[in-house]
Amino acid sequence: MPDADDILERKNFYLEVPQTCKAFALKGSNALDWGMKNRLARVFSPDDCRTVMLAVDHGYFQGPTTGLERIDVTICPLIPYADALMITRGALRSTIPPEIAKPVVLRSSGGQSILKELSNERIAVDIEDAVRVNASALAVQVYIGGVHEHESIGNLVEIVNAGNRHGIPTMAVTGVGKELARDAKYLGLATRICAELGANFVKTYYCERGFAAVAAGCPVPLVIAGGKKLPEIDALRMAYRAVSEGAAGVDMGRNIFQCDAPKAMIQAVRAVVHENETPERAYDLYLSLKSAGEGSELCTAKTQLR
């Protein structure tokens, strides 16, 4: 039987130290529940509230995209350099070893192909399956101004509600059809609507004129899409301008995995996003790593994912 007489005397309650509760620094996220904040802190570095996401979900409507023919061969070597991986559940289960210690942003809408109207999507993952694969966030496409605008907004609302019930954040992805201009007016409209309807962060495009206003007008973090393949220096300049004007990072795919040296490129992008490196110095880093043979080797070994 323990001696209860001196229990209080032996304890240290640090009476001189007030209990504190640090504010959650990520934009628009301080009022969220603990689980939501914890998952967002996996996607966005707590050090600078920025992220370098690697987008490899293109196959959900494009099929075997160039550079993604064999995700297990071409993408696995890049995972250690990414803050998060955006991927479909099918590719995740079939090609990505579960030993990876990176958060998954799970593609959760789909239902169309490049042969049909792109905005005609539906919810493609139920929340229970997202929980089973330990998703850190759910990604859903929203087509403001598209043929199926109403349906895509409905998808977003359903995903947000399901995510809120289980503590999983939602990333809205602003889909822009060929007939819509990617200017500040449109992007400001689309991103604000997504945030107002509950998205915890939004993936959108960078525009050269007015992007700072787009970012300021969206009350949650923006991450920019890489879009079509650009020359490496141009992709680095786009990333630099975006984060300098208020973006919380990038979600790049083709501008990384379609490079001659993908591993070198993702490290150069990281230098821009997390170290505020200039595009020119980041490009020098890319060339240096490329010339040293860093970036083009292939890998299937699980040990290289640690």
Side-chain angles (χ1 to χ4, degrees):
M1 186 75 179
D3 185 357
D5 292 341
D6 61 351
I7 287 180
L8 183 62
E9 287 74 11
R10 293 184 182 181
K11 295 184 184 296
N12 186 348
F13 292 95
Y14 297 94
L15 300 180
E16 71 283 3
V17 181
Q19 180 172 323
T20 60
C21 184
K22 183 180 178 182
F24 192 68
L26 187 66
K27 182 180 181 181
S29 305
N30 192 53
L32 298 176
D33 202 358
W34 191 93
M36 298 280 272
K37 293 177 180 177
N38 180 260
R39 289 181 173 90
L40 286 169
R42 300 177 200 171
V43 177
F44 295 88
S45 170
D47 295 331
D48 58 11
C49 294
R50 290 181 179 178
T51 186
V52 174
M53 294 171 54
L54 180 60
V56 296
D57 61 323
H58 304 65
Y60 92 96
F61 74 103
Q62 290 185 354
T65 306
T66 301
L68 298 180
E69 298 92 341
R70 286 286 302 275
I71 289 177
D72 59 319
V73 175
T74 58
I75 297 305
C76 284
L78 307 180
I79 294 175
Y81 304 98
D83 293 312
L85 184 67
M86 183 178 177
I87 193 168
T88 64
R89 61 177 170 178
L92 180 68
R93 284 191 168 108
S94 61
T95 64
I96 305 298
E99 291 86 354
I100 69 166
K102 299 292 183 176
V104 168
V105 178
L106 190 67
R107 162 60 65 179
S108 301
S109 65
Q112 89 292 38
S113 76
I114 55 174
L115 304 178
K116 298 287 187 177
E117 167 57 44
L118 292 181
S119 67
N120 190 17
E121 287 196 355
R122 55 167 294 171
I123 295 173
V125 175
D126 65 35
I127 191 65
E128 288 78 12
D129 209 29
V131 172
R132 277 191 287 270
V133 299
N134 197 30
S136 291
L138 307 167
V140 56
Q141 209 83 8
V142 182
Y143 292 91
I144 301 301
V147 176
H148 296 278
E149 175 190 84
H150 180 73
E151 291 87 346
S152 70
I153 290 176
N155 293 340
L156 171 64
V157 171
E158 287 193 42
I159 289 292
V160 167
N161 289 339
N164 286 344
R165 287 195 298 271
H166 292 79
I168 304 178
T170 297
M171 179 180 77
V173 184
T174 60
V176 181
K178 295 180 180 179
E179 70 282 0
L180 297 173
R182 298 179 184 181
D183 58 17
K185 183 177 180 180
Y186 173 80
L187 297 177
L189 171 71
T191 56
R192 182 59 176 261
I193 288 174
C194 291
E196 294 272 358
L197 291 175
N200 302 106
F201 58 114
V202 181
K203 176 179 178 178
T204 194
Y205 292 95
Y206 176 73
C207 57
E208 292 188 359
R209 298 180 58 184
F211 183 79
V214 175
C218 184
V220 298
L222 295 182
V223 294
I224 65 158
K228 66 180 181 181
K229 178 68 176 71
L230 301 171
E232 285 76 11
I233 184 62
D234 291 341
L236 293 169
R237 285 172 177 155
M238 178 176 65
Y240 179 82
R241 291 168 183 160
V243 295
S244 298
E245 296 173 24
V250 301
D251 186 17
M252 279 193 175
R254 288 170 288 177
N255 277 298
I256 291 175
F257 61 71
Q258 289 182 352
C259 288
D260 292 335
K263 191 185 291 187
M265 185 59 180
I266 195 171
Q267 291 179 76
V269 173
R270 286 192 66 84
V272 168
V273 172
H274 287 302
E275 300 170 26
N276 296 313
E277 199 61 270
T278 65
E280 291 73 23
R281 289 179 62 87
Y283 184 62
D284 287 342
L285 172 64
Y286 167 75
L287 293 177
S288 175
L289 292 172
K290 180 181 177 181
S291 65
E294 179 91 358
S296 58
E297 57 271 62
L298 302 179
C299 157
T300 56
K302 293 180 180 179
T303 55
Q304 296 195 34
L305 297 175
R306 303 294 179 90

